[in-house]
Each structure stands twice: as structure tokens, then as C-alpha cells.
Amino acid sequence: MIKASLRGLLQRKLRLALAVIAIVLSVGFLSGSIVLGDTLNARFAGLFSTINENVAVQVTAKDPDAAEPARLSQADLDRLSRVDGVAQASGDVSAEGVIPFRTDTGKAVTAQVGLAAGVDSRGDTLGLVELREGAWPARADEVVLSANTAKLAKAQRGTQLKVFVPQLGEARTYTVSGIAGFAGGRDSLAGETLVMFELKHAQELFYGTTGVYASASFGAASGVSQDELKKRIERELPSGFKAQTGKEATEEASNALGDSFGIFTIILSAFAGVAAFVGIFLIYNTFNIIVAQRSRELALLRAMGASWGQVIRAVLLEALVVGGFGATLGLGFGIAVGVGAEALLSNMLGVDLPSGGVVVSMWAVLWSYVVGLIVTMIAAFIPAVKASMVPPIAAMRETVRPDKSLLGLSITGGAFLVPGAGLVALALTGIGSATTLVLAGGVVLVFLGVALLSPLLAKPVVRLLGWLLGRGQAGKLGVRNALRNPRRTAVTAAALMIGVTLITTAATVAQSFKSSIEDIVGQNTGVDIMILGPNTGPPNGEIGFNPAALDEVKKLPGVTDTAAWHITIEAAIAGTPAFISAADVPTAKRMWQMQEVGGQLRTLGAQEMVVDDNMAEASRWKAGDQVTVGIGQTSKKYTIVGIYKRTPTLQGPILGLPAVDDFAGKLAYQGFVSLDDGADVAGTVAKVEDIMSDYPGVTVGDMSSFARQQSQAFDVLVNAITILLGVALLIALLGIINTLLLSIVERTRELGLVRAVGLSRGGVVRMVGVESVLISVFGCLLGVTLGVGLGAAFVKALIDLDFMSKFALPWANLAVYVGAALVFGVVAALWPARRAAKLNVLEAIAYE
Amino acid sequence: MSAAARAVDVWKVYGSGEAQVIALRGVNLEVERGKFTAIMGPSGSGKSTLMHCLAGLDSVTRGEVAVGDTRVTGLSDAGLTRLRREKVGFIFQQFNLLPTLTAEENITLPLAISGRKPDKAWYDTVIQTVGLGDRLGHRPSQLSGGQQQRVACARALVSRPEVIFADEPTGNLDSRSGADILGFLRRSVSEFGQTIVMVTHDANAASYADRVIFLADGRIVDEIENPTAEAVLDKIKSLDTLAVSEDRVEVAE
Ligand SMILES: Nc1ncnc2c1ncn2[C@@H]1O[C@H](COP(=O)(O)OP(=O)(O)OP(=O)(O)O)[C@@H](O)[C@H]1O
Ligand SMILES: [Mg+2]
């Protein structure tokens, strides 16, 4: 029995190959994304162990995010460096967001991270940074650059270099006194820029006073272990500080970075998950067809006395072999994909990370076999049970089984669809905290529901499409073939539907955003020019521009009003994280035409705020109420003095300008400019740009260019999503090819017959092509419909939250998708149609 | 007038070396126009092979085949397709019909494929002859084996091909249904002048033909004009003895 089934397997090389390809693709991208994430993490771990290579113990503030974080004094550092077993000591003075300007173009250097440090004449005693040429900075106006920084800024020793220092809120000019590199001959650790100031100057710049350090690192004398040194240093620690071994510090840092990279890995895994989900359809369909085609053979075995169990076991054994083989190949493919993607990504981001080797974690292996093996076995089991329930004689007589009722299937579909839609609705109204999970679960249920209902839809829709596309006799035969097994057509189409749905949803939401923005721009609020902060990091007061720069803007001809907008996301309102602004409310009211709904929109004093009506309603606040507002590490009671009408551009809590003292920095993140009617907008934009050129990453534009920029950002997002879903689409394409090929095998005799009664090769190609296009366009239409529906649900939720103002259909995109589906269908048909056309007529007729 | 189909010194060899089978050994045959020709012979004697070669479904190893005035040997695929559309019709032993089409659609399929309209009067005549009037809207799965073969006959007749080739069209039917089918074929020859070549094992079936060709071991060994079932049976018997005596000769050698 086992031998018989294994031999049966090998005789069907084509079908076997198709099943294996289905599994390899689904498994490959899932394991690939896991391998990518793990390998990237290993690289970062490698980065931090390089940084901490000579560090035995690190002393840091227990609470570095405090409003007034604890600092080490020179005396503390001196005391700690005299601890027995300390070989080297280095006090750390450092900052982020310090950005050099290019000497050739005058533009800010765009690197992922702009680091700064303070060094004295001894340089880095722990040996991470090595001076390559020149001298360590000896004066307040000297800096040493890392080789990467020098390269990016086009600076050399002796160059005058403009450097933006966020603590100053402006750029200053320094003389480059030397160029440094990193241990091991590297120009940067990970593509960042590094500007090193003279120690005392750095302390003053970053901490406001000399002789203090944020943290310190210590090297151990030979024979003293990290743990031992940590114990000794702990005895001497000043309060508010903690000691960690170099190893612990490395782990902590790479975990923190891994977490921020985690979101990226999660997004990627989500897309890989979609691909695997689509792959499950493909695997299921493949096995379903294969087992159905073998039902005659299985019936023969049964007639010869094989038991029900034996037949099922034989099929399962096949699935086990194919699934195991496919999963293993898929895992190998996934590793290759992961490694390739990692190289590509590092290259694209310009991140020059130390290699951490390829990491294949247990999860990658586990998921590969879960998807590859278990899904395959389930996919084979269901049709095997069905096949074994057909009486042997009926199966052997090859009676064309009459259409089975789709009622049960449709009811099951409804049973998935309704709760799925319910979950989506629930998630979008924002009840409960596990919103993303509820949403994902809801969407999966909706997909399954629609997939189960799709055979019911297949008949009318394919008939209609066939009436449009199936011209000529060959076309008509293709339409009949697409209709003859609605389940097969539907499952194949449903695989395509999933990708198209997600893309359409994204396009619909994006289009709605875009037309909402256009509406706002059209609404002429009185704001003519916008100044936007850099997107290098989250706004917290440390990035942006000095609001004093707006005084200069105000002096420009034609400018009637300016408003500085301070924003921080390091904030909480009544305990929940929030995005807080601080601004002069009367100016904002004038420029944005804010409507007073309650209280008063007046100049705010310390601990006074206004909120939007939506928020007030949701939290049952009214003017006069007190609310706790946390900014950074501070927490204060604020009085609500006014409530304004929320708009898509203006929303959330607005504090008075005195609150900016509690922000991490005093930089404004956005600025708004009003002009006289008839003022020269483009000319003024250029002048404002000039004023803002000292602030890295700050962009200036009129309202329409802002709208254009936003639209482009959405287009980029939709394109990125489309590309990431490309794998899912590719698998769906393969699914169509698969179904067609298997159907052709099944219909060999019919192909011979139509050829015998005069259908030409071209006719056969057209017949297969029409079937393929019908499947593909049907899947696309399902996806577009479902995607527009989901998109509308999202848009409704976003409109309720006032993030956008209207729903708009992405007509152009939809047309492109349907057009692409046509092409997709033709491409999918190429190979199967060739195979069908090449069949020898006589052999096809005699085919058993 | 030329023959409806002609084979000149046709050889057909399958495989090579050890596995070589010579299915036809220099067959010469003229199928007369407007006549019903039956091909008989023991299993494996090359009946189907000969028919396939005549119909252009299979290529010949040597020799020449023509249907009407079209030389079949050496035709390209497009040429063969045109031949099938315009000059030949087929009735196979089973699986003659597309399960997705109704009986009527199956009947008109060859015409639809070549983009021709059925001649209404002729179509009605054919339908009437095969007696399918009330079954035309049915799918093959809803028809009996006999009915399915009638549909296949109607399909072959409706495009008025130069020759209809039928390979054991009654092989899967009971004698009643078989007799019906043979009756239609006979009538279409007698009344409409259709040319038919039919392979059969059954002496009774062969008796419907105008002429019976006997094949043995890839060669035409005999033929009878206007056969009766008894005459055919007698001929088969005598050929069997011949074969047996040939076997003896071989053994003696
Ligand atoms: N495709 C093929 N490959 C190899 N040998 C073949 C092939 N087709 C037929 N043959 C051989 O050619 C010979 C003639 O076969 P053919 O099918 O013409 O016989 P037949 O007279 O129709 O027999 P039957 O009455 O059983 O249908 C047989 O020996 C057969 O084995
Ligand atoms: Mg035969």
C-alpha cells in the first residue's frame, strides 16, 4: 500500500512539482522574513559589542529621561577611576541631533543618526575611536569628525564647518582639527555622523555647565573580571546611578535597538504572513485537484480491498513526503531570501554594519514546517476523506458528478463573514485595546467567508464576464470550463483576491486622505506657507527650528502673521500617551480660523490648555476642568480654558507657550505664515527657506506644494504596500497556473476531442487563455469590491476621528488593477496553454 | 470521380529496436465515395491504426494518405486542422462529447469552431434522423450511452464531411442501441450519400456496410462486397484457420 502510493507520487512529476513550488513559495517568504529580522538583530548585537569591546563596566543614570537627569561630577569620575582594578576611565559627554552642513552645497547632511561627543586631549582612552590625522580639539571652536562625517560633509582638516546644535537651537561654525576612525579601520559604526567637540565646550553645550558627565565607562586591569569590577565600583557609586558590566550594557542597547527594528520586522512578517495565507489556498487547491483526479485510482484500491483508513493513510503519507520536501526546500529558499534582502536593505539604507552571520532561529524552522507540512497534510486530508466516501463503483465509472449544492458552503461562508465583519467594525470603533489583533482576525475571517461564498458568486459573475470576454467558440469553451467547477475557480480566484483586497484598501484610504487634504488646501484657511520640521525623529522639542527665526520671517514683505508650533510626543494626558502642541492660541485662532465651542480661546498662561470638542466629548471635559498633563518626566495639573472645533488639520490639546519649558528642547516643530492677498508666494517661500537653511531637515512650502507632498507620500506608501504584496500576488499567479495545468491534465481527452473536431492550436490557446483571464479578473473584482468595502470602513472610522473629511474612490488605481488582472490572466495562461496546444491529438483521445 | 479517402502502400511502425511494432505493412485502400466501408480484423491487427492514419490523426511511417483531393501526408498542424474542419468527422467508441456543452451545442460544435452556420434544413433532418428532438437541451451526463452516441453521430453528420470515421461506435452499447446507431449510419449513406469508414469487431455491425475490409497483422487480407452477417462470420473463421495454419508453419520451421 505504502509502496503503491509512493510510486504513484513519483509518476506524477508535474503535479508533484507544482505542489512543491506552492509550498516552497509560501514557506520561503515567511521564513525569509524571520531570517531577515534575526540576521539584522545579530548585526546590531555585533555593533554594540564592538562599541563596548573594551568596556568592563558602565555607569549610567538610573533615570536618564528625567527632566533633570543625574550627572556625574568630575570628582565622582576621579573617585571611580581610582577604584582598584580600573585600568582606564572615560567620562561620556554626548548628544544626538547634532548635524553638520555640507561644505559644498550648504545643505544639512542627511544621515540616519547625528551623534556628538566631547573629548579631551587624550582622545578616547577606551580605544573605540582612533585619531587618523590632525589633533583632538583643543579649543571651543575646534571639532574632530569621524571619517564618514568628513566624507558626507565634504570636509577636511582645516575646513570651516557649520554644525547645527539642537541645544543652541542654531548652527555654529567650527574648524575641523582632525579626522578620526573607529577600531578595525571602520569609517562609521553604522552609517551615522559623529562630531567630537572639545570636552569642556561639549559639557557646556549639552549640560549647561562644565565638569559634568552623563555616564562613564571603565576598562578593567588584567585579571579583574567584569563582574568583580562592577561589584567594586558599585560600592563607590553616587546616588542616582547604576553600574552594568559591558556585557549587560551591550545586551540592553541591542535589545532596545532590536525593539525599534522589531516594528519593521513585524510589518515584514505581516506581509509574509499574507503571502503564506495565500499560499495555503494554493496548497489546498493543488492537493484538492490532485486527489480528486486520483479518486478513480483510489476507488480501484478500495475495490481491491484496501480499507478506508489505508486509502487516507496513503494520501497523507504522500502529503507528508511532499510537504516535508517542500518545507525543507522552502526553508532553504527563505534563508537565501533573508540573506539577500538583508544585504539589499543594508545597502539601501547606507548602513554599514559589522557582519553578524546568518541567523536561522528556531522560529524560522518551526513556521516553515507548520506552514509547509501541517497545512499540506490538512489540504490533502479533506479531499482524501471526500474521495474515500465516494462508493468505489461510482468513482470508477467516471460519471460526471452533478453539481453539488453550494448551500452548505455558502452558509459556512456566511458564518465566517458576519462575525468577521463584526470584528472589523469593533476594531474600527476602537473598543478594547487589542485593536490590531481584532482587526487582523476580523479581516482573516472576512477573507475566509468571502472565499467560501465565492463559488456562489463565481457562476453569475463569470457568466457575465464570459459574455464580455468569451468571444468565438474557443472563448465560449473557455467560459464553460471556468464555470464547470465553481469551487475550483473560486478558490483559485480567492487567492488573488486577498492581495488585491489589501492593495485596494490601502489605495482607497490613501485616495480619501488625498482628497481630504485637497479640500483643506482649497478651503483657504489664511495659512499660505508651512514650515515643517525634519522627519529624522519624533518631535520632542529637540528637533525643528528656533522660533526666533520666525521674527525674521515676519519682517519679510507681504507677511502678515506667523505662528510657531511646538510639538512633543513625549507626553501624556490623564495618563494616556498623547501628541501635544504648544502655541499662541489667539494667533492660531486668527490664522486657522478656529471655532470656539466652549470656554475661551485666549492667550494661555502656565498650566492652561485648550482641547478640541471631540476629545472633550469623549473624556466628558468642559471648560474649567482640571486635567493631569505629563510632559517628559514632569506631571502637572492643567486647567481647560477653552474648547475648539476639531478639523482634520487642527486637533488635540494645545498648551500655552510657557509649557515649552517642560519640553525636551525649545525648538518649534512647525511654523505657519500668512501673507497679504497678492503677495509673491513663491518668492516668499524662497526667502523663508533661506532663513530656515540653518535648521537641518526643515522644509518650507506653500499649501499646494504641501498637499502635493502629502499626496506623493501616500502614493509612495501605496506603492510600497503593492510591492510588499507582490509576493502574495506572485503566489496567486502561480495558483492560477497550477489550476490550469491540473485542469488540462484532467481534460486531456476533451482537448483531443475538440482538436479532432477541428479546433486549431490557436483555438486551444484562446480557450485556456479565456479561462485564465476569467479566473484572474473574477479574483480581482472580488478583491476590488472587498477592498473598497474595507477601505470605506477604515475611512469612516478615520472621518469619525476627524483625521480626514471625505471618502474618495481611487478610480485610476481600480482601473489599473482590473487591467493588470487581464494581463495577469494572460501571463498565467502562457505555459498551460502551450502545453495544451502541444498535446498530440491521438494520444489525448486515447488518454487514460 | 476520385476516392473519398485513399491509402497507398501505408506502413506504420511504432517504437524502435526491441520494442518495435509494425502496425501496418503496406496497406493499399480506396474508400469509395458515398459508400459505407467496414474494417474488421482480430485485436491488434491495425484497424484503429489504419483509421487514424486515414483521418490524419496519426502520421504514416511510409506511403501516402489522402482524403478527397487533399494529400494528408506531410500536412502541417494548421493544414490538419483545416482538414478536420472541412473534410472529416469522427465518432469514437466513447467520450465523444464535451461535458460542459448541451447535446445541441455538442452537435454544432464543429460548425461553431470553424465559424460556420448550420444549414437549418439539414440540421433538422439530422436531428430527426437520430431522433433526439426532446433531448437537445441535456448535458451528456444526463444522457444514456446510446443517446450519447447518437449525439456523436449527429455531430459527425451535421457538418457534411467528406468522410466520417467511426472507431467501434457501438462497442460500448447493448445490441438494441447499437442497432439504432448502425441504422442511422446506414441511412445517412443510403439517403444522403455520406461516406463512412467504420472499424468494428462485430460481424452483425459489419453487415450494415457496403464493403468489409479484413485486416490481419497489419495487412489487408480480404474483403467482401455487400456482406451479410453470416458471410462475414464465415470469412472470419476461414481467416482464423489461415492464421492458425500460419502459426503451425512457424512452429514447424
Ligand atoms: N502508440 C502506440 N505505440 C506502440 N504500439 C502501438 C501504438 N498503438 C498501437 N500499437 C500497436 O500497433 C498494433 C495495432 O494496434 P491497433 O490499435 O491498430 O489495433 P486494433 O486492430 O485497433 O486492435 P483492437 O481491436 O484491440 O482495437 C498493436 O500491436 C498495438 O500494440
Ligand atoms: Mg482499435
Side-chain angles (χ1 to χ4, degrees), chain B residues 47-49 167-168 199 201:
Chain B
K47 305 182 296 289
S48 296
T49 306
D167 194 351
E168 306 192 45
V199 168
H201 267 117

Side-chain angles (χ1 to χ4, degrees), chain A residues 565 579-583 585 588-589 592-602 604 609-617 621-623 640-655 802:
Chain A
W565 215 262
F579 188 101
I580 286 185
S581 319
V585 171
K589 186 183 172 195
W592 287 109
Q593 284 146 23
M594 287 166 81
Q595 282 176 42
E596 214 167 62
V597 179
Q600 249 190 317
L601 299 182
R602 58 166 168 83
L604 299 173
M609 69 193 282
V610 298
V611 296
D612 69 59
D613 54 342
N614 213 320
M615 204 171 173
E617 229 165 81
W621 289 332
K622 49 191 190 319
I640 297 173
V641 300
I643 296 169
Y644 66 92
K645 178 126 192 54
R646 183 179 179 131
T647 68
T649 34
L650 208 64
Q651 45 189 269
I654 305 175
L655 314 186
D802 274 326

Side-chain angles (χ1 to χ4, degrees), chain A residues 313-359:
Chain A
R313 246 176 288 142
V315 173
L316 282 187
L317 181 73
E318 252 193 60
L320 184 81
V321 174
V322 174
F325 183 61
T328 309
L329 274 186
L331 180 60
F333 177 52
I335 293 171
V337 167
V339 172
E342 198 261 358
L344 199 75
L345 206 75
S346 302
N347 211 343
M348 242 165 51
L349 297 176
V351 199
D352 174 29
L353 285 174
S355 166
V358 180
V359 181

Side-chain angles (χ1 to χ4, degrees), chain A residues 695-777:
Chain A
Y695 303 100
V698 172
T699 52
V700 180
D702 59 24
M703 286 300 268
S704 62
S705 78
F706 161 73
R708 206 162 44 239
Q709 202 181 326
Q710 296 271 303
S711 294
Q712 275 165 1
F714 281 112
D715 289 342
V716 167
L717 190 71
V718 171
N719 288 346
I721 289 175
T722 308
I723 289 168
L724 282 171
L725 284 170
V727 177
L729 295 179
L730 187 75
I731 294 180
L733 177 79
L734 207 83
I736 299 177
I737 296 177
N738 213 352
T739 299
L740 291 175
L741 279 176
L742 293 172
S743 297
I744 283 165
V745 171
E746 193 175 78
R747 300 174 195 152
T748 302
R749 201 182 285 124
E750 287 170 33
L751 283 168
L753 187 68
V754 288
R755 291 280 280 135
V757 298
L759 194 64
S760 63
R761 280 206 171 129
V764 171
V765 169
R766 238 172 300 136
M767 180 171 98
V768 177
V770 165
E771 184 179 1
S772 176
V773 167
L774 287 178
I775 295 176
S776 150
V777 172

Side-chain angles (χ1 to χ4, degrees), chain A residues 473 480 484 753 755 758 761, chain B residues 77 85 96 99-100 105 112:
Chain A
Q473 186 60 28
R480 293 293 172 91
R484 71 198 289 180
L753 187 68
R755 291 280 280 135
R761 280 206 171 129
Chain B
D77 189 75
R85 283 186 183 180
N96 262 303
T100 51
E105 287 166 331

Side-chain angles (χ1 to χ4, degrees), chain A residues 426-594:
Chain A
L426 189 72
L428 289 180
T429 51
I431 302 168
S433 53
T435 327
T436 334
L437 221 64
V438 173
L439 187 65
V443 171
V444 167
L445 282 183
V446 167
F447 278 146
L448 289 174
V450 174
L452 289 169
L453 281 170
S454 56
L456 198 68
L457 298 172
K459 280 203 168 176
V461 177
V462 171
R463 203 166 282 152
L464 180 72
L465 287 175
W467 179 75
L468 291 171
L469 301 171
R471 294 292 143 128
Q473 186 60 28
K476 273 187 203 143
L477 291 174
V479 177
R480 293 293 172 91
N481 282 339
L483 278 169
R484 71 198 289 180
N485 197 334
R487 286 160 202 253
R488 189 181 293 180
T489 299
V491 173
T492 311
L496 181 62
M497 164 192 85
I498 294 167
V500 175
T501 301
L502 295 176
I503 293 173
T504 306
T505 306
T508 305
V509 174
Q511 186 66 33
S512 302
F513 255 119
K514 276 157 57 175
S515 60
S516 298
I517 291 168
E518 274 158 26
D519 266 13
I520 293 160
V521 172
Q523 265 167 17
N524 195 5
T525 53
V527 176
D528 297 299
I529 297 175
M530 291 181 116
I531 304 165
L532 300 177
N535 46 18
T536 47
N540 60 359
E542 283 186 330
I543 59 173
F545 59 93
N546 191 335
L550 286 182
D551 296 343
E552 277 178 68
V553 173
K554 195 143 189 188
K555 284 184 214 139
L556 296 173
V559 172
T560 55
D561 239 337
T562 62
W565 215 262
H566 297 258
I567 299 176
T568 181
I569 64 157
E570 292 166 358
I573 298 242
T576 42
F579 188 101
I580 286 185
S581 319
D584 181 47
V585 171
T587 312
K589 186 183 172 195
R590 200 163 57 232
M591 292 176 73
W592 287 109
Q593 284 146 23
M594 287 166 81

Side-chain angles (χ1 to χ4, degrees), chain A residues 1 4-5 291 294-315 383-397:
Chain A
M1 200 50 212
S5 81
V291 175
R294 291 186 51 198
S295 56
R296 227 140 78 91
E297 181 189 324
L298 296 177
L300 192 66
L301 289 172
R302 287 260 280 142
M304 291 184 321
S307 74
W308 190 85
Q310 274 175 315
V311 168
I312 295 207
R313 246 176 288 142
V315 173
V385 169
K386 270 196 258 164
S388 67
M389 282 190 308
V390 177
I393 295 307
M396 281 169 69
R397 228 191 279 130

